[in-house]
Amino acid sequence: KPAVVTRGLPGPAPGMSVEALERPGTQARDAARSKALFEAGQLLFSMGRHGEARRTLEESLTIARELGERDLVALALQPLGGAALGQGDFEAARRFLDEALALAREGGNARELAAALNALAQLHRVGGRPDAAEPLLRQAPATAPEQDDCETGAIAPLHLPRGGAGAGCSRAA
């Protein structure tokens, strides 16, 4: 995380990052720029600044695709889907989150898979389709014990009607 965030100053962090990336000499379309844009975009998203987050994350995603950086593409898709959802753009959110889920399945990272399943389930819930959300929410914690990831495994069940948060996790709380 940027130092201003860890020091309790998240407000100026995204602006400082984006401003720094606009300076001369920082325009290279490389992995470092894509990652920095992702960090700023994710922070903007977490602050509820969905329009700014979406623009920043879309630039990160575009650069990652240009470079063929699969991991950077996957990284940007979930918060980008959330930002699109925050703007009420369900179609774009669905496209981003479907791709995030596909890349998580391909990559075999249980934590990313659980997060992608949860994000797509939340899209269904907000879109009034709890029937489509529930199977995804039930799959998410099943992936977490593969890495003994209690945190990720506990998130999805919280959204179920009577979920057992953290069930199946062997790590002590």
Side-chain angles (χ1 to χ4, degrees):
K1 292 184 181 178
V4 292
V5 174
T6 58
R7 291 189 179 127
L9 301 170
M16 290 168 61
S17 297
V18 172
E19 179 184 312
L21 289 166
E22 292 172 354
R23 292 186 182 153
T26 63
Q27 301 301 312
R29 296 183 70 77
D30 57 17
R33 181 176 180 79
S34 179
K35 178 75 166 143
L37 287 163
F38 161 76
E39 295 291 344
Q42 184 173 21
L43 185 55
L44 286 162
F45 169 64
S46 70
M47 296 171 70
R49 294 164 56 182
H50 299 121
E52 294 170 89
R54 187 169 176 182
R55 285 187 298 277
T56 305
L57 290 163
E58 283 177 339
E59 185 177 351
S60 173
L61 179 62
T62 298
I63 293 169
R65 287 189 196 285
E66 289 169 4
L67 298 172
E69 291 279 349
R70 183 207 166 282
D71 289 344
L72 290 175
V73 168
L75 197 61
L77 287 168
Q78 284 183 43
L80 186 51
L85 181 59
Q87 292 184 301
D89 189 345
F90 286 84
E91 287 182 37
R94 177 66 192 250
R95 280 192 315 273
F96 294 134
L97 295 175
D98 279 344
E99 185 178 359
L101 180 58
L103 288 174
R105 287 188 197 281
E106 282 176 25
N109 181 314
R111 183 182 187 101
E112 288 301 314
L113 179 56
L117 288 164
N118 186 56
L120 190 56
Q122 296 316 310
L123 173 68
H124 288 307
R125 286 186 64 210
V126 170
R129 299 207 40 235
D131 57 315
E134 190 168 335
L136 297 170
L137 290 168
R138 292 197 185 285
Q139 287 177 50
T143 66
E146 294 173 20
Q147 293 184 345
D148 203 20
D149 184 354
C150 298
E151 179 183 339
T152 302
I155 292 170
L158 295 174
H159 299 290
L160 289 169
R162 291 196 181 120
C169 182
S170 63
R171 194 172 81 208

